[in-house]
Amino acid sequence: MPDRVTEIAMFPLGSVLLPHMPLPLRVFEPRYLAMLGDILGDEPSEFGVTLIERGQEVGGGDVRTDIGTVAQIGSLDTSGESILLIAQGVRTIRVDRWLDDAPYPRAEVTDLPDPEWSDDLAPLLERADRLVRRLLKLAEEAGEELPWPPDIGLDDDPAAAAWQLAAIAPFGPLDQLDLLRSTSIERLLSRTIDLAGEAEPLYGS
């Protein structure tokens, strides 16, 4: 069966959203307010998130990556001048074609298969968990402000926990984009371990 291509609203950002991770956003640009007006009637209300490789989040004219994550809106706060929302990464997508802005970015995308968990990967998950938490602790001791504490809890589902470990590690956006491209949990965990090992000397360990 051929892959199903769907049209979806897109929200390019300067950061990478990985599956099973929350995404807080403050929406104030008119084009994205229009986007919310169009998708909030859908159930579930979803939009795609891709990394901006070059350019800025505000104003358009950016260069975007060809892989991203679908974000599902969970809550909205409309009490202020801008809208505050919290969405959750739910699945990865490939961008097949960018469409004209209307007035917000849109694209034709294909859902990518969810990498499957195998119990054989449990030792790899345990090693990745240990290294990422050690890296977070080193970064914390170095005075770096981090969005995630070293003792943060993870999902009980091991596949979700693998994505979350990749997301909470203090890696740059291009490294996280590399992790997002993983087509297997084994590759995701192995790359997380490798990147954590490469980053650790930066904190004097």
PDB file of all heavy atoms in Angstrom, residues 8-45:
ATOM      1  N   ILE A   8      -1.193  19.456   5.963  1.00  0.00           N
ATOM      2  CA  ILE A   8      -1.241  19.819   7.379  1.00  0.00           C
ATOM      3  C   ILE A   8      -0.673  21.212   7.567  1.00  0.00           C
ATOM      4  O   ILE A   8       0.212  21.658   6.821  1.00  0.00           O
ATOM      5  CB  ILE A   8      -0.449  18.783   8.232  1.00  0.00           C
ATOM      6  CG1 ILE A   8      -0.667  19.009   9.737  1.00  0.00           C
ATOM      7  CG2 ILE A   8       1.025  18.812   7.896  1.00  0.00           C
ATOM      8  CD1 ILE A   8      -0.082  17.907  10.601  1.00  0.00           C
ATOM      9  N   ALA A   9      -1.218  21.937   8.546  1.00  0.00           N
ATOM     10  CA  ALA A   9      -0.652  23.227   8.937  1.00  0.00           C
ATOM     11  C   ALA A   9       0.717  22.999   9.578  1.00  0.00           C
ATOM     12  O   ALA A   9       0.924  22.020  10.292  1.00  0.00           O
ATOM     13  CB  ALA A   9      -1.586  23.932   9.914  1.00  0.00           C
ATOM     14  N   MET A  10       1.638  23.920   9.337  1.00  0.00           N
ATOM     15  CA  MET A  10       3.003  23.759   9.835  1.00  0.00           C
ATOM     16  C   MET A  10       3.423  24.964  10.667  1.00  0.00           C
ATOM     17  O   MET A  10       3.008  26.101  10.410  1.00  0.00           O
ATOM     18  CB  MET A  10       3.975  23.589   8.662  1.00  0.00           C
ATOM     19  CG  MET A  10       3.683  22.402   7.754  1.00  0.00           C
ATOM     20  SD  MET A  10       3.883  20.794   8.569  1.00  0.00           S
ATOM     21  CE  MET A  10       5.674  20.745   8.775  1.00  0.00           C
ATOM     22  N   PHE A  11       4.273  24.691  11.667  1.00  0.00           N
ATOM     23  CA  PHE A  11       4.784  25.742  12.554  1.00  0.00           C
ATOM     24  C   PHE A  11       6.299  25.542  12.673  1.00  0.00           C
ATOM     25  O   PHE A  11       6.781  24.906  13.605  1.00  0.00           O
ATOM     26  CB  PHE A  11       4.123  25.624  13.929  1.00  0.00           C
ATOM     27  CG  PHE A  11       4.113  26.905  14.727  1.00  0.00           C
ATOM     28  CD1 PHE A  11       2.962  27.353  15.342  1.00  0.00           C
ATOM     29  CD2 PHE A  11       5.264  27.658  14.883  1.00  0.00           C
ATOM     30  CE1 PHE A  11       2.945  28.531  16.092  1.00  0.00           C
ATOM     31  CE2 PHE A  11       5.265  28.828  15.613  1.00  0.00           C
ATOM     32  CZ  PHE A  11       4.093  29.274  16.227  1.00  0.00           C
ATOM     33  N   PRO A  12       7.083  26.073  11.727  1.00  0.00           N
ATOM     34  CA  PRO A  12       8.539  25.939  11.818  1.00  0.00           C
ATOM     35  C   PRO A  12       9.090  26.677  13.040  1.00  0.00           C
ATOM     36  O   PRO A  12       8.642  27.775  13.373  1.00  0.00           O
ATOM     37  CB  PRO A  12       9.034  26.584  10.513  1.00  0.00           C
ATOM     38  CG  PRO A  12       7.848  26.581   9.600  1.00  0.00           C
ATOM     39  CD  PRO A  12       6.659  26.760  10.494  1.00  0.00           C
ATOM     40  N   LEU A  13      10.061  26.063  13.701  1.00  0.00           N
ATOM     41  CA  LEU A  13      10.638  26.621  14.925  1.00  0.00           C
ATOM     42  C   LEU A  13      12.161  26.556  14.877  1.00  0.00           C
ATOM     43  O   LEU A  13      12.743  25.832  14.070  1.00  0.00           O
ATOM     44  CB  LEU A  13      10.136  25.849  16.148  1.00  0.00           C
ATOM     45  CG  LEU A  13       8.653  25.969  16.495  1.00  0.00           C
ATOM     46  CD1 LEU A  13       8.293  24.982  17.604  1.00  0.00           C
ATOM     47  CD2 LEU A  13       8.306  27.387  16.913  1.00  0.00           C
ATOM     48  N   GLY A  14      12.786  27.257  15.787  1.00  0.00           N
ATOM     49  CA  GLY A  14      14.235  27.209  15.914  1.00  0.00           C
ATOM     50  C   GLY A  14      14.728  26.081  16.791  1.00  0.00           C
ATOM     51  O   GLY A  14      15.911  26.040  17.154  1.00  0.00           O
ATOM     52  N   SER A  15      13.841  25.174  17.152  1.00  0.00           N
ATOM     53  CA  SER A  15      14.193  24.014  17.971  1.00  0.00           C
ATOM     54  C   SER A  15      13.491  22.782  17.407  1.00  0.00           C
ATOM     55  O   SER A  15      12.571  22.887  16.593  1.00  0.00           O
ATOM     56  CB  SER A  15      13.796  24.239  19.430  1.00  0.00           C
ATOM     57  OG  SER A  15      12.409  24.517  19.521  1.00  0.00           O
ATOM     58  N   VAL A  16      13.931  21.620  17.860  1.00  0.00           N
ATOM     59  CA  VAL A  16      13.394  20.348  17.373  1.00  0.00           C
ATOM     60  C   VAL A  16      12.403  19.793  18.392  1.00  0.00           C
ATOM     61  O   VAL A  16      12.699  19.757  19.595  1.00  0.00           O
ATOM     62  CB  VAL A  16      14.531  19.329  17.141  1.00  0.00           C
ATOM     63  CG1 VAL A  16      13.975  17.963  16.745  1.00  0.00           C
ATOM     64  CG2 VAL A  16      15.476  19.837  16.056  1.00  0.00           C
ATOM     65  N   LEU A  17      11.254  19.370  17.916  1.00  0.00           N
ATOM     66  CA  LEU A  17      10.288  18.671  18.761  1.00  0.00           C
ATOM     67  C   LEU A  17      10.403  17.183  18.480  1.00  0.00           C
ATOM     68  O   LEU A  17      10.289  16.749  17.330  1.00  0.00           O
ATOM     69  CB  LEU A  17       8.869  19.143  18.473  1.00  0.00           C
ATOM     70  CG  LEU A  17       7.743  18.378  19.191  1.00  0.00           C
ATOM     71  CD1 LEU A  17       7.830  18.573  20.704  1.00  0.00           C
ATOM     72  CD2 LEU A  17       6.378  18.801  18.660  1.00  0.00           C
ATOM     73  N   LEU A  18      10.641  16.400  19.526  1.00  0.00           N
ATOM     74  CA  LEU A  18      10.692  14.946  19.391  1.00  0.00           C
ATOM     75  C   LEU A  18       9.379  14.347  19.888  1.00  0.00           C
ATOM     76  O   LEU A  18       8.683  14.947  20.719  1.00  0.00           O
ATOM     77  CB  LEU A  18      11.865  14.369  20.190  1.00  0.00           C
ATOM     78  CG  LEU A  18      13.263  14.755  19.684  1.00  0.00           C
ATOM     79  CD1 LEU A  18      14.331  14.200  20.617  1.00  0.00           C
ATOM     80  CD2 LEU A  18      13.504  14.264  18.271  1.00  0.00           C
ATOM     81  N   PRO A  19       9.026  13.171  19.387  1.00  0.00           N
ATOM     82  CA  PRO A  19       7.796  12.523  19.861  1.00  0.00           C
ATOM     83  C   PRO A  19       7.802  12.320  21.375  1.00  0.00           C
ATOM     84  O   PRO A  19       8.855  12.147  21.997  1.00  0.00           O
ATOM     85  CB  PRO A  19       7.812  11.174  19.122  1.00  0.00           C
ATOM     86  CG  PRO A  19       8.614  11.428  17.889  1.00  0.00           C
ATOM     87  CD  PRO A  19       9.678  12.400  18.307  1.00  0.00           C
ATOM     88  N   HIS A  20       6.612  12.376  21.957  1.00  0.00           N
ATOM     89  CA  HIS A  20       6.389  12.138  23.391  1.00  0.00           C
ATOM     90  C   HIS A  20       6.931  13.259  24.268  1.00  0.00           C
ATOM     91  O   HIS A  20       7.123  13.078  25.477  1.00  0.00           O
ATOM     92  CB  HIS A  20       6.971  10.791  23.829  1.00  0.00           C
ATOM     93  CG  HIS A  20       6.452   9.629  23.048  1.00  0.00           C
ATOM     94  ND1 HIS A  20       5.188   9.104  23.253  1.00  0.00           N
ATOM     95  CD2 HIS A  20       7.009   8.921  22.030  1.00  0.00           C
ATOM     96  CE1 HIS A  20       5.003   8.106  22.406  1.00  0.00           C
ATOM     97  NE2 HIS A  20       6.074   7.978  21.658  1.00  0.00           N
ATOM     98  N   MET A  21       7.145  14.444  23.651  1.00  0.00           N
ATOM     99  CA  MET A  21       7.626  15.594  24.419  1.00  0.00           C
ATOM    100  C   MET A  21       6.623  16.738  24.346  1.00  0.00           C
ATOM    101  O   MET A  21       5.963  16.940  23.323  1.00  0.00           O
ATOM    102  CB  MET A  21       8.982  16.066  23.890  1.00  0.00           C
ATOM    103  CG  MET A  21      10.119  15.111  24.206  1.00  0.00           C
ATOM    104  SD  MET A  21      10.363  14.841  25.993  1.00  0.00           S
ATOM    105  CE  MET A  21      10.902  16.478  26.520  1.00  0.00           C
ATOM    106  N   PRO A  22       6.493  17.518  25.427  1.00  0.00           N
ATOM    107  CA  PRO A  22       5.591  18.675  25.414  1.00  0.00           C
ATOM    108  C   PRO A  22       6.192  19.827  24.637  1.00  0.00           C
ATOM    109  O   PRO A  22       7.423  19.966  24.540  1.00  0.00           O
ATOM    110  CB  PRO A  22       5.451  19.020  26.901  1.00  0.00           C
ATOM    111  CG  PRO A  22       6.742  18.564  27.506  1.00  0.00           C
ATOM    112  CD  PRO A  22       7.151  17.335  26.737  1.00  0.00           C
ATOM    113  N   LEU A  23       5.318  20.657  24.092  1.00  0.00           N
ATOM    114  CA  LEU A  23       5.747  21.844  23.350  1.00  0.00           C
ATOM    115  C   LEU A  23       4.917  23.036  23.817  1.00  0.00           C
ATOM    116  O   LEU A  23       3.761  23.191  23.402  1.00  0.00           O
ATOM    117  CB  LEU A  23       5.565  21.646  21.848  1.00  0.00           C
ATOM    118  CG  LEU A  23       5.856  22.869  20.969  1.00  0.00           C
ATOM    119  CD1 LEU A  23       7.330  23.241  21.015  1.00  0.00           C
ATOM    120  CD2 LEU A  23       5.400  22.625  19.530  1.00  0.00           C
ATOM    121  N   PRO A  24       5.470  23.881  24.692  1.00  0.00           N
ATOM    122  CA  PRO A  24       4.762  25.112  25.057  1.00  0.00           C
ATOM    123  C   PRO A  24       5.042  26.183  24.008  1.00  0.00           C
ATOM    124  O   PRO A  24       6.182  26.371  23.577  1.00  0.00           O
ATOM    125  CB  PRO A  24       5.384  25.476  26.413  1.00  0.00           C
ATOM    126  CG  PRO A  24       6.742  24.857  26.397  1.00  0.00           C
ATOM    127  CD  PRO A  24       6.700  23.684  25.470  1.00  0.00           C
ATOM    128  N   LEU A  25       4.005  26.893  23.597  1.00  0.00           N
ATOM    129  CA  LEU A  25       4.151  27.936  22.580  1.00  0.00           C
ATOM    130  C   LEU A  25       3.346  29.173  22.973  1.00  0.00           C
ATOM    131  O   LEU A  25       2.244  29.047  23.504  1.00  0.00           O
ATOM    132  CB  LEU A  25       3.648  27.451  21.219  1.00  0.00           C
ATOM    133  CG  LEU A  25       4.541  26.530  20.384  1.00  0.00           C
ATOM    134  CD1 LEU A  25       3.798  26.116  19.120  1.00  0.00           C
ATOM    135  CD2 LEU A  25       5.862  27.203  20.035  1.00  0.00           C
ATOM    136  N   ARG A  26       3.917  30.327  22.677  1.00  0.00           N
ATOM    137  CA  ARG A  26       3.183  31.585  22.783  1.00  0.00           C
ATOM    138  C   ARG A  26       2.894  32.052  21.366  1.00  0.00           C
ATOM    139  O   ARG A  26       3.817  32.334  20.595  1.00  0.00           O
ATOM    140  CB  ARG A  26       3.993  32.634  23.548  1.00  0.00           C
ATOM    141  CG  ARG A  26       3.258  33.951  23.757  1.00  0.00           C
ATOM    142  CD  ARG A  26       4.037  34.860  24.686  1.00  0.00           C
ATOM    143  NE  ARG A  26       5.280  35.327  24.088  1.00  0.00           N
ATOM    144  CZ  ARG A  26       5.401  36.458  23.385  1.00  0.00           C
ATOM    145  NH1 ARG A  26       4.336  37.242  23.188  1.00  0.00           N
ATOM    146  NH2 ARG A  26       6.564  36.814  22.881  1.00  0.00           N
ATOM    147  N   VAL A  27       1.639  32.098  21.002  1.00  0.00           N
ATOM    148  CA  VAL A  27       1.245  32.414  19.631  1.00  0.00           C
ATOM    149  C   VAL A  27       0.735  33.853  19.573  1.00  0.00           C
ATOM    150  O   VAL A  27      -0.227  34.205  20.272  1.00  0.00           O
ATOM    151  CB  VAL A  27       0.154  31.439  19.137  1.00  0.00           C
ATOM    152  CG1 VAL A  27      -0.212  31.739  17.692  1.00  0.00           C
ATOM    153  CG2 VAL A  27       0.626  29.993  19.280  1.00  0.00           C
ATOM    154  N   PHE A  28       1.385  34.674  18.760  1.00  0.00           N
ATOM    155  CA  PHE A  28       0.995  36.083  18.659  1.00  0.00           C
ATOM    156  C   PHE A  28       0.978  36.587  17.222  1.00  0.00           C
ATOM    157  O   PHE A  28       0.327  37.582  16.928  1.00  0.00           O
ATOM    158  CB  PHE A  28       1.940  36.962  19.492  1.00  0.00           C
ATOM    159  CG  PHE A  28       3.390  36.850  19.085  1.00  0.00           C
ATOM    160  CD1 PHE A  28       3.921  37.698  18.130  1.00  0.00           C
ATOM    161  CD2 PHE A  28       4.205  35.878  19.644  1.00  0.00           C
ATOM    162  CE1 PHE A  28       5.251  37.603  17.747  1.00  0.00           C
ATOM    163  CE2 PHE A  28       5.541  35.773  19.260  1.00  0.00           C
ATOM    164  CZ  PHE A  28       6.064  36.631  18.307  1.00  0.00           C
ATOM    165  N   GLU A  29       1.718  35.917  16.313  1.00  0.00           N
ATOM    166  CA  GLU A  29       1.704  36.363  14.918  1.00  0.00           C
ATOM    167  C   GLU A  29       0.325  36.136  14.307  1.00  0.00           C
ATOM    168  O   GLU A  29      -0.274  35.064  14.500  1.00  0.00           O
ATOM    169  CB  GLU A  29       2.739  35.594  14.099  1.00  0.00           C
ATOM    170  CG  GLU A  29       4.154  36.098  14.217  1.00  0.00           C
ATOM    171  CD  GLU A  29       5.039  35.495  13.135  1.00  0.00           C
ATOM    172  OE1 GLU A  29       5.042  36.025  12.013  1.00  0.00           O
ATOM    173  OE2 GLU A  29       5.701  34.488  13.413  1.00  0.00           O
ATOM    174  N   PRO A  30      -0.181  37.094  13.547  1.00  0.00           N
ATOM    175  CA  PRO A  30      -1.510  36.923  12.943  1.00  0.00           C
ATOM    176  C   PRO A  30      -1.658  35.656  12.113  1.00  0.00           C
ATOM    177  O   PRO A  30      -2.711  35.021  12.131  1.00  0.00           O
ATOM    178  CB  PRO A  30      -1.657  38.184  12.084  1.00  0.00           C
ATOM    179  CG  PRO A  30      -0.807  39.210  12.769  1.00  0.00           C
ATOM    180  CD  PRO A  30       0.369  38.451  13.318  1.00  0.00           C
ATOM    181  N   ARG A  31      -0.602  35.268  11.402  1.00  0.00           N
ATOM    182  CA  ARG A  31      -0.733  34.074  10.548  1.00  0.00           C
ATOM    183  C   ARG A  31      -0.923  32.809  11.382  1.00  0.00           C
ATOM    184  O   ARG A  31      -1.660  31.903  10.982  1.00  0.00           O
ATOM    185  CB  ARG A  31       0.475  33.936   9.620  1.00  0.00           C
ATOM    186  CG  ARG A  31       1.820  33.862  10.324  1.00  0.00           C
ATOM    187  CD  ARG A  31       2.953  33.724   9.337  1.00  0.00           C
ATOM    188  NE  ARG A  31       4.245  33.721   9.999  1.00  0.00           N
ATOM    189  CZ  ARG A  31       5.344  33.192   9.472  1.00  0.00           C
ATOM    190  NH1 ARG A  31       5.290  32.612   8.279  1.00  0.00           N
ATOM    191  NH2 ARG A  31       6.480  33.245  10.123  1.00  0.00           N
ATOM    192  N   TYR A  32      -0.273  32.748  12.551  1.00  0.00           N
ATOM    193  CA  TYR A  32      -0.435  31.556  13.376  1.00  0.00           C
ATOM    194  C   TYR A  32      -1.707  31.611  14.212  1.00  0.00           C
ATOM    195  O   TYR A  32      -2.256  30.565  14.585  1.00  0.00           O
ATOM    196  CB  TYR A  32       0.808  31.332  14.239  1.00  0.00           C
ATOM    197  CG  TYR A  32       1.990  30.903  13.398  1.00  0.00           C
ATOM    198  CD1 TYR A  32       3.147  31.656  13.352  1.00  0.00           C
ATOM    199  CD2 TYR A  32       1.928  29.746  12.620  1.00  0.00           C
ATOM    200  CE1 TYR A  32       4.229  31.278  12.558  1.00  0.00           C
ATOM    201  CE2 TYR A  32       2.998  29.358  11.832  1.00  0.00           C
ATOM    202  CZ  TYR A  32       4.142  30.127  11.804  1.00  0.00           C
ATOM    203  OH  TYR A  32       5.201  29.735  11.011  1.00  0.00           O
ATOM    204  N   LEU A  33      -2.171  32.805  14.513  1.00  0.00           N
ATOM    205  CA  LEU A  33      -3.494  32.914  15.121  1.00  0.00           C
ATOM    206  C   LEU A  33      -4.555  32.421  14.137  1.00  0.00           C
ATOM    207  O   LEU A  33      -5.518  31.745  14.522  1.00  0.00           O
ATOM    208  CB  LEU A  33      -3.771  34.358  15.538  1.00  0.00           C
ATOM    209  CG  LEU A  33      -2.895  34.913  16.678  1.00  0.00           C
ATOM    210  CD1 LEU A  33      -3.130  36.401  16.853  1.00  0.00           C
ATOM    211  CD2 LEU A  33      -3.170  34.163  17.977  1.00  0.00           C
ATOM    212  N   ALA A  34      -4.358  32.738  12.848  1.00  0.00           N
ATOM    213  CA  ALA A  34      -5.267  32.231  11.815  1.00  0.00           C
ATOM    214  C   ALA A  34      -5.178  30.713  11.724  1.00  0.00           C
ATOM    215  O   ALA A  34      -6.200  30.020  11.541  1.00  0.00           O
ATOM    216  CB  ALA A  34      -4.932  32.870  10.466  1.00  0.00           C
ATOM    217  N   MET A  35      -3.968  30.173  11.862  1.00  0.00           N
ATOM    218  CA  MET A  35      -3.795  28.731  11.845  1.00  0.00           C
ATOM    219  C   MET A  35      -4.598  28.062  12.961  1.00  0.00           C
ATOM    220  O   MET A  35      -5.306  27.067  12.734  1.00  0.00           O
ATOM    221  CB  MET A  35      -2.313  28.364  11.992  1.00  0.00           C
ATOM    222  CG  MET A  35      -2.029  26.873  11.959  1.00  0.00           C
ATOM    223  SD  MET A  35      -0.374  26.436  12.556  1.00  0.00           S
ATOM    224  CE  MET A  35      -0.653  26.479  14.346  1.00  0.00           C
ATOM    225  N   LEU A  36      -4.487  28.622  14.159  1.00  0.00           N
ATOM    226  CA  LEU A  36      -5.238  28.061  15.281  1.00  0.00           C
ATOM    227  C   LEU A  36      -6.738  28.116  15.019  1.00  0.00           C
ATOM    228  O   LEU A  36      -7.473  27.171  15.320  1.00  0.00           O
ATOM    229  CB  LEU A  36      -4.898  28.802  16.574  1.00  0.00           C
ATOM    230  CG  LEU A  36      -3.504  28.560  17.161  1.00  0.00           C
ATOM    231  CD1 LEU A  36      -3.309  29.387  18.427  1.00  0.00           C
ATOM    232  CD2 LEU A  36      -3.281  27.085  17.463  1.00  0.00           C
ATOM    233  N   GLY A  37      -7.195  29.218  14.444  1.00  0.00           N
ATOM    234  CA  GLY A  37      -8.611  29.330  14.127  1.00  0.00           C
ATOM    235  C   GLY A  37      -9.076  28.251  13.162  1.00  0.00           C
ATOM    236  O   GLY A  37     -10.216  27.784  13.241  1.00  0.00           O
ATOM    237  N   ASP A  38      -8.171  27.829  12.270  1.00  0.00           N
ATOM    238  CA  ASP A  38      -8.534  26.811  11.284  1.00  0.00           C
ATOM    239  C   ASP A  38      -8.493  25.393  11.861  1.00  0.00           C
ATOM    240  O   ASP A  38      -9.283  24.538  11.469  1.00  0.00           O
ATOM    241  CB  ASP A  38      -7.598  26.885  10.076  1.00  0.00           C
ATOM    242  CG  ASP A  38      -7.900  28.083   9.182  1.00  0.00           C
ATOM    243  OD1 ASP A  38      -8.972  28.698   9.350  1.00  0.00           O
ATOM    244  OD2 ASP A  38      -7.059  28.403   8.325  1.00  0.00           O
ATOM    245  N   ILE A  39      -7.560  25.115  12.779  1.00  0.00           N
ATOM    246  CA  ILE A  39      -7.377  23.721  13.214  1.00  0.00           C
ATOM    247  C   ILE A  39      -8.084  23.382  14.519  1.00  0.00           C
ATOM    248  O   ILE A  39      -8.257  22.192  14.817  1.00  0.00           O
ATOM    249  CB  ILE A  39      -5.871  23.364  13.339  1.00  0.00           C
ATOM    250  CG1 ILE A  39      -5.217  24.128  14.495  1.00  0.00           C
ATOM    251  CG2 ILE A  39      -5.146  23.634  12.031  1.00  0.00           C
ATOM    252  CD1 ILE A  39      -3.774  23.702  14.762  1.00  0.00           C
ATOM    253  N   LEU A  40      -8.506  24.384  15.287  1.00  0.00           N
ATOM    254  CA  LEU A  40      -9.096  24.073  16.585  1.00  0.00           C
ATOM    255  C   LEU A  40     -10.443  23.376  16.471  1.00  0.00           C
ATOM    256  O   LEU A  40     -10.902  22.749  17.429  1.00  0.00           O
ATOM    257  CB  LEU A  40      -9.226  25.339  17.439  1.00  0.00           C
ATOM    258  CG  LEU A  40      -7.912  25.859  18.029  1.00  0.00           C
ATOM    259  CD1 LEU A  40      -8.126  27.169  18.770  1.00  0.00           C
ATOM    260  CD2 LEU A  40      -7.286  24.812  18.962  1.00  0.00           C
ATOM    261  N   GLY A  41     -11.062  23.461  15.316  1.00  0.00           N
ATOM    262  CA  GLY A  41     -12.312  22.723  15.116  1.00  0.00           C
ATOM    263  C   GLY A  41     -12.100  21.257  14.810  1.00  0.00           C
ATOM    264  O   GLY A  41     -13.053  20.476  14.811  1.00  0.00           O
ATOM    265  N   ASP A  42     -10.852  20.869  14.550  1.00  0.00           N
ATOM    266  CA  ASP A  42     -10.545  19.470  14.250  1.00  0.00           C
ATOM    267  C   ASP A  42     -10.357  18.685  15.544  1.00  0.00           C
ATOM    268  O   ASP A  42      -9.959  19.228  16.572  1.00  0.00           O
ATOM    269  CB  ASP A  42      -9.271  19.367  13.410  1.00  0.00           C
ATOM    270  CG  ASP A  42      -9.390  20.077  12.079  1.00  0.00           C
ATOM    271  OD1 ASP A  42     -10.534  20.216  11.603  1.00  0.00           O
ATOM    272  OD2 ASP A  42      -8.352  20.492  11.522  1.00  0.00           O
ATOM    273  N   GLU A  43     -10.639  17.406  15.483  1.00  0.00           N
ATOM    274  CA  GLU A  43     -10.414  16.539  16.640  1.00  0.00           C
ATOM    275  C   GLU A  43      -9.625  15.295  16.192  1.00  0.00           C
ATOM    276  O   GLU A  43     -10.149  14.461  15.468  1.00  0.00           O
ATOM    277  CB  GLU A  43     -11.755  16.116  17.252  1.00  0.00           C
ATOM    278  CG  GLU A  43     -11.633  15.278  18.516  1.00  0.00           C
ATOM    279  CD  GLU A  43     -10.822  15.959  19.604  1.00  0.00           C
ATOM    280  OE1 GLU A  43     -11.045  17.152  19.866  1.00  0.00           O
ATOM    281  OE2 GLU A  43      -9.966  15.270  20.187  1.00  0.00           O
ATOM    282  N   PRO A  44      -8.350  15.195  16.583  1.00  0.00           N
ATOM    283  CA  PRO A  44      -7.605  16.137  17.429  1.00  0.00           C
ATOM    284  C   PRO A  44      -7.101  17.331  16.626  1.00  0.00           C
ATOM    285  O   PRO A  44      -7.049  17.279  15.395  1.00  0.00           O
ATOM    286  CB  PRO A  44      -6.441  15.285  17.930  1.00  0.00           C
ATOM    287  CG  PRO A  44      -6.192  14.305  16.816  1.00  0.00           C
ATOM    288  CD  PRO A  44      -7.550  13.979  16.238  1.00  0.00           C
ATOM    289  N   SER A  45      -6.751  18.391  17.337  1.00  0.00           N
ATOM    290  CA  SER A  45      -6.192  19.590  16.698  1.00  0.00           C
ATOM    291  C   SER A  45      -4.679  19.407  16.593  1.00  0.00           C
ATOM    292  O   SER A  45      -3.991  19.317  17.612  1.00  0.00           O
ATOM    293  CB  SER A  45      -6.512  20.837  17.524  1.00  0.00           C
ATOM    294  OG  SER A  45      -7.910  21.010  17.647  1.00  0.00           O
TER     295      SER A  45
END
